[in-house]
Amino acid sequence: MIWTSIPFAACLIGTAGANLIVSCAARNRVYDNPADVPHRDVAVLLGTSPFTPSGNPSSYYVNRIEAAAQLYHAGKYDKIIVSGGIDDEYNEPKSMRADLMKRGVPDSAIVLDNEGDRTIFSILRAKEVFHADSIIIISQEFHNKRAIYQAKHYGVDAVGFNAADSPYRSSRFKNHLREYFARVKAVLEVGI
């Protein structure tokens, strides 16, 4: 019995430790109020599907778009990289550009990154492809913290602006649980 509980305890401690490391890396670097966000030349809007599996508009997507437009109109960035994936059903960057333009962000301020289908790729490409080493990351708070941790590891000075979370409890639970384990993967990928 003790031999099975030791690996389980080690997994729990490792998971909690990874989450603590990520949270500490993002301490004092995430913002809810646009007025508090320091200006950066570049923002990175992390992608997510515009639709839920049932075909309804995704609150995560809509809230990220609203947050990005709000920051632009507050004068907090000059250019925004819309970073996401492409598949047969949708093109995240193209959708984000269209929806940002509907909210008054000019096309000239929007840069498409069609290869940001993972958070770490979005951060690496912001630095290596788009030559941005000081950025505002726009996503939900739980996601921003992991992205800031990854950015810090790659020498990118990142802060995060928190888009509103989902209004649906089941969606919040599922995504926060998924994020808890995604942070373990992030720590394993980039190290402490």
Side-chain angles (χ1 to χ4, degrees):
M1 182 89 161
I2 193 160
W3 298 113
T4 58
S5 61
I6 290 173
F8 180 73
C11 285
L12 284 178
I13 291 168
T15 302
N19 277 271
L20 182 62
I21 289 166
V22 168
S23 291
C24 287
R27 185 177 291 135
N28 300 320
R29 300 192 71 78
V30 291
Y31 301 93
D32 295 311
N33 184 344
D36 297 333
V37 178
H39 179 273
R40 298 285 196 263
D41 291 336
V42 176
V44 176
L45 177 57
L46 297 176
T48 189
S49 172
F51 303 103
T52 65
S54 62
N56 295 318
S58 164
S59 59
Y60 286 104
Y61 175 87
V62 171
N63 292 342
R64 289 182 198 183
I65 295 294
E66 292 292 339
Q70 187 180 21
L71 270 193
Y72 178 79
H73 294 301
K76 297 298 181 171
Y77 64 84
D78 304 316
K79 293 273 185 189
I80 186 165
I81 300 168
V82 292
S83 186
I86 299 173
D87 67 21
D88 294 337
E89 296 179 25
Y90 59 85
N91 179 319
E92 287 176 0
K94 189 174 177 182
S95 294
M96 291 188 287
R97 178 179 60 189
D99 287 328
L100 284 172
M101 289 173 63
K102 288 176 190 174
R103 289 163 177 82
V105 179
D107 188 41
S108 60
I110 303 169
V111 177
L112 300 182
D113 176 14
N114 295 324
E115 295 181 38
D117 54 356
R118 288 188 56 214
T119 303
I120 196 167
F121 296 160
S122 297
I123 300 302
L124 280 170
R125 289 177 56 76
K127 180 179 181 176
E128 295 175 0
V129 176
F130 301 105
H131 309 291
D133 57 6
S134 182
I135 61 175
I136 302 168
I137 299 168
I138 303 167
S139 188
Q140 278 69 30
E141 181 178 15
F142 62 85
H143 191 195
N144 278 338
K145 288 181 177 181
R146 173 167 45 101
I148 289 168
Y149 167 76
Q150 291 170 321
K152 184 177 181 179
H153 178 77
Y154 290 108
V156 177
D157 176 22
V159 297
F161 181 58
N162 301 326
D165 211 330
S166 172
Y168 305 107
R169 186 180 307 165
S170 62
S171 180
R172 285 194 312 268
F173 176 79
K174 179 184 82 172
N175 282 291
H176 286 253
L177 182 64
R178 178 187 167 276
E179 180 63 25
Y180 196 71
F181 294 103
R183 290 178 179 185
V184 175
K185 182 176 181 181
V187 169
L188 292 173
E189 280 183 325
V190 303
I192 298 175

